[in-house]
Amino acid sequence: MAEPSFEEALTNLERIVEQLEEGNLSLEETLKKFEEGIKLSRLCEKKLKQAQKKVSMLIKDEEDILKEVPFVESEEPKKKENAAGESLFDE
C-alpha cells in the first residue's frame, strides 16, 4: 500500500482526533485510534522534515541565481569553498 500524502495523513489525523475528543469509543477502539494517530503524526513530521530539507537546499549559485539541489534524505549537502573563501554547496 502506498504511503499517504502529507495532506491525506493530516486529514486522517484530524478525523481521528475528532473521534477521540467525542469520547464515544471503547477503550480498545480508543487505543487503536490513538496508535493510528501516532503513526500518522510521525508520518506528517517526517514529510515536513523532508520538505524543510528540500527548501534549505534551494541555494544561490555563483551568479546569484536560485537553483535546486537534488534531495538526498540520508546525506547532508557537501560544502566547498570558492576562491574567495565563501561556502558553496556541491550539486
Side-chain angles (χ1 to χ4, degrees):
M1 185 173 162
E3 187 173 87
S5 69
F6 173 80
E7 291 79 10
E8 292 169 335
L10 184 59
T11 298
N12 289 337
L13 180 59
E14 289 172 342
R15 184 174 31 84
I16 287 172
V17 169
E18 289 173 8
Q19 292 171 337
L20 291 173
E21 287 178 343
E22 289 173 2
N24 297 328
L25 301 173
S26 68
L27 177 60
E28 188 173 309
E29 291 171 324
T30 299
L31 290 173
K32 186 176 176 182
K33 291 289 181 185
F34 183 78
E35 183 178 348
E36 185 180 349
I38 293 295
K39 288 178 183 175
L40 290 169
S41 172
R42 288 181 179 153
L43 177 64
C44 287
E45 183 179 351
K46 178 181 125 184
K47 289 186 179 283
L48 285 173
K49 284 182 181 177
Q50 289 172 341
Q52 184 179 15
K53 285 180 183 178
K54 190 169 186 174
V55 169
S56 69
M57 288 181 180
L58 288 170
I59 59 170
K60 291 182 180 178
D61 64 12
E62 300 88 51
E63 296 166 355
D64 213 30
I65 298 172
L66 281 176
K67 66 178 181 179
E68 185 176 350
V69 176
F71 177 73
V72 180
E73 185 175 354
S74 62
E75 292 183 13
E76 293 293 322
K78 296 177 183 173
K79 288 184 180 179
K80 65 179 182 179
E81 291 184 358
N82 64 12
E86 298 169 333
S87 290
L88 302 171
F89 288 95
D90 278 340
E91 292 184 44

